[in-house]
Amino acid sequence: MRPLWIKNAAQLVTVAGENGPRRKKEMSELGIIENGSVWVENGEIIAMGTSSEIEALFGARVHEAEVVDATGRLVTPGLVDPHTHVAYGGSREREFEMRLEGSTYMEIMNAGGGIHATSRMTREATEDELVGQTTRRLDSFLQHGVTTVEGKSGYGLDLETELKQLRVMKRLNESHPIDLVPTFMGGHAVPVEYKGREEEYIDVLVNEMLPRVAQEGLAVFNDVFCEVGVFTPEQSERILEAGKKLGLIPKIHADEIKSYGGAELAAKVGAISAEHLLKASDEGIRLMAEAGVIACLLPATALYLREEAAQGRAMIDAGVAVAISTDCNPGSSPTTSMPLVMNLACISMRLTPAEALVAATMNAACAIGMQDRVGSLEVGKQADLVMWKVSNYQELQYLFGVNHVSCVWKKGVQVVG
């Protein structure tokens, strides 16, 4: 592989610093190098600096390299999406109309739609069919500057289909340019066949599904939907603690529809992240800050459901590390556009443009345990880079709803542009 030299960037945003989640004022520290350059070899970043500094170091080897002139362009780390449901079967466009006609999320779900509808379609799909559908979504993520994605199961709700979803993600992590980090989410809903027998399903989840997932090494994280009408805080705690005993790191869908103690539970069980948090209490936010739980906020989901967004500004001010995500899923956020999510984080949650970029790179990487490899541009890390058709990071957030991606490199290989 030839070395890669990206030079003359108007702004090279490195987000360099400690390999840990950024809080408060740290979320505004972008590590910008003007007229910046990056030298890449064998998929890793070897050096960064001004163009004159990199030319002084490597100018004698310029004939070896692929040289990209980024004059007038912004260059950033590849974006990281820390919360998706990317591997699923089918589509649910009819529910979009139902919502506009007045049906609520839980009304649709209780009528056999929502998660249950996708569960049926995912059960019916073959593994190869799911690979094909998921590949198209991952390709779209790349087109929007995303180079690392977390993916959850949870559209099977039986052992066979949950394993099928996770195996699909394992195959794609090995074959697709994107790094795909797997999360088991058998606790996404109680399947229709267990209605009225919720505790029996939890027994199956804890005693059969989780051990099999851990035995086959198919997931890094274990997630649960702690919500009124889904799993109670007590049930959620049981599921998360069972996963911890098997080496699966807890995550939690918390306080999305009602304030239900999900943020508090995230702190109690030591979750790496709590997701959604539209209705998180002030006490839950305080406890998350104390426990170091990352808030993974999903402003596109709030917009799609026509709900008020999570209190991103208040969480940052309280000392919570905030990450953002598309929540790519068929029912409440069918998008792969992290640039749009960054726009929405500024508009609906009052993050600054710098904070939104940190939330979509370093903090997002920390929310899925990938910060040693991705999330910032630093020597020794993967050369996951995006060149944007704007000249500075403020412009990236200011020009709303537009995909400004010019080129994307994954491990030093150009995959877009």
Side-chain angles (χ1 to χ4, degrees):
M1 182 189 297
R2 295 172 66 193
L4 170 67
W5 182 17
I6 302 174
K7 65 177 185 176
N8 301 331
Q11 287 187 342
L12 178 69
V13 173
T14 67
V15 201
E18 295 295 324
N19 271 343
R22 310 292 163 80
R23 298 177 175 86
K24 292 191 171 182
K25 292 182 179 179
E26 295 170 348
M27 285 191 65
S28 297
E29 297 171 0
L30 293 180
I32 295 172
I33 302 173
E34 295 185 353
N35 191 27
S37 282
V38 185
W39 187 275
V40 174
E41 293 189 30
N42 299 316
E44 287 190 357
I45 295 170
I46 301 300
M48 297 174 304
T50 64
S51 292
S52 58
E53 289 171 338
I54 299 302
E55 186 166 10
L57 288 171
F58 298 99
R61 296 179 56 199
V62 66
H63 62 283
E64 302 175 27
E66 174 190 353
V67 180
V68 176
D69 188 349
T71 298
R73 300 293 198 224
L74 170 71
V75 176
T76 73
L79 303 182
V80 178
D81 193 329
H83 176 127
T84 83
H85 303 260
V86 68
Y88 63 85
S91 180
R92 283 168 31 205
E93 62 274 6
R94 170 61 186 133
E95 292 179 14
F96 181 59
E97 275 191 317
M98 292 172 68
R99 283 206 188 88
L100 296 176
E101 292 164 355
S103 298
T104 68
Y105 181 95
M106 294 307 297
E107 285 171 348
I108 292 170
M109 184 169 164
N110 290 333
I115 293 168
H116 298 308
T118 299
S119 178
R120 289 193 299 273
M121 291 183 277
T122 304
R123 288 179 180 185
E124 292 167 359
T126 67
E127 185 172 309
D128 285 344
E129 287 170 341
L130 290 180
V131 166
Q133 293 181 43
T134 307
T135 296
R136 290 192 290 275
R137 297 178 197 118
L138 293 178
D139 289 346
S140 182
F141 271 116
L142 277 181
Q143 294 287 336
H144 288 87
V146 179
T147 53
T148 302
V149 169
E150 182 261 15
K152 305 178 192 295
S153 68
Y155 285 130
L157 307 180
D158 61 24
L159 177 60
E160 179 183 345
T161 315
E162 291 293 312
L163 293 176
K164 179 171 64 176
Q165 279 189 275
L166 291 168
R167 287 169 183 152
V168 164
M169 287 187 273
K170 182 177 181 180
R171 281 176 60 180
L172 287 169
N173 183 51
E174 294 168 351
S175 64
H176 196 277
I178 280 181
D179 284 321
L180 184 53
V181 181
T183 293
F184 171 68
M185 199 178 177
H188 201 188
V190 176
V192 173
E193 59 267 29
Y194 280 91
K195 189 172 183 179
R197 299 184 294 127
E198 290 80 6
E199 292 297 329
E200 288 183 40
Y201 177 66
I202 295 171
D203 287 341
V204 171
L205 199 161
V206 167
N207 297 322
E208 297 180 27
M209 293 188 189
L210 275 167
R212 184 70 175 276
V213 169
Q215 179 185 2
E216 295 195 23
L218 290 173
V220 178
F221 305 102
N222 177 34
D223 201 342
V224 64
F225 194 0
C226 180
E227 188 59 69
V228 175
V230 191
F231 295 99
T232 68
E234 293 75 21
Q235 292 169 332
S236 300
E237 183 175 0
R238 181 187 172 200
I239 292 166
L240 295 177
E241 289 292 347
K244 283 171 66 175
K245 291 177 182 176
L246 295 167
L248 297 178
I249 301 166
K251 286 178 170 285
I252 181 170
H253 281 51
D255 303 321
E256 178 183 6
I257 299 168
K258 292 187 178 180
S259 183
Y260 198 44
E264 291 88 339
L265 179 59
K268 181 180 179 181
V269 301
I272 190 171
S273 65
E275 332 279 301
H276 288 287
L277 299 168
L278 274 67
K279 309 296 183 182
S281 69
D282 292 343
E283 177 67 4
I285 292 171
R286 184 186 68 80
L287 291 171
M288 285 175 56
E290 288 183 357
V293 178
I294 297 169
C296 187
L297 306 183
L298 316 171
T301 309
L303 175 69
Y304 201 79
L305 296 177
R306 294 180 296 156
E307 297 284 348
E308 187 175 349
Q311 300 178 68
R313 175 80 272 135
M315 291 182 193
I316 292 173
D317 293 344
V320 178
V322 167
I324 55 176
S325 164
T326 62
D327 189 23
C328 173
N329 77 80
S332 60
S333 189
T335 183
T336 56
S337 179
M338 278 293 281
L340 174 62
V341 168
M342 290 192 292
N343 297 150
L344 292 175
C346 297
I347 293 166
S348 66
M349 300 194 304
R350 293 180 53 223
L351 273 66
T352 68
E355 290 168 341
L357 190 51
V358 169
T361 53
M362 189 47 153
N363 280 6
C366 291
I368 54 174
M370 290 285 285
Q371 65 270 26
D372 290 341
R373 295 164 56 189
V374 303
S376 63
L377 304 182
E378 301 186 65
V379 173
K381 283 195 172 184
Q382 289 180 187
D384 295 0
L385 303 108
V386 184
M387 184 167 71
W388 306 86
K389 291 178 279 190
V390 295
S391 61
N392 60 71
Y393 75 91
Q394 295 103 327
E395 193 177 5
L396 182 63
Q397 314 300 2
Y398 158 68
L399 293 169
F400 171 76
V402 181
N403 185 8
H404 302 284
V405 169
S406 175
C407 297
V408 179
W409 293 266
K410 182 65 181 178
K411 298 177 183 176
V413 176
Q414 187 171 335
V415 290
V416 173

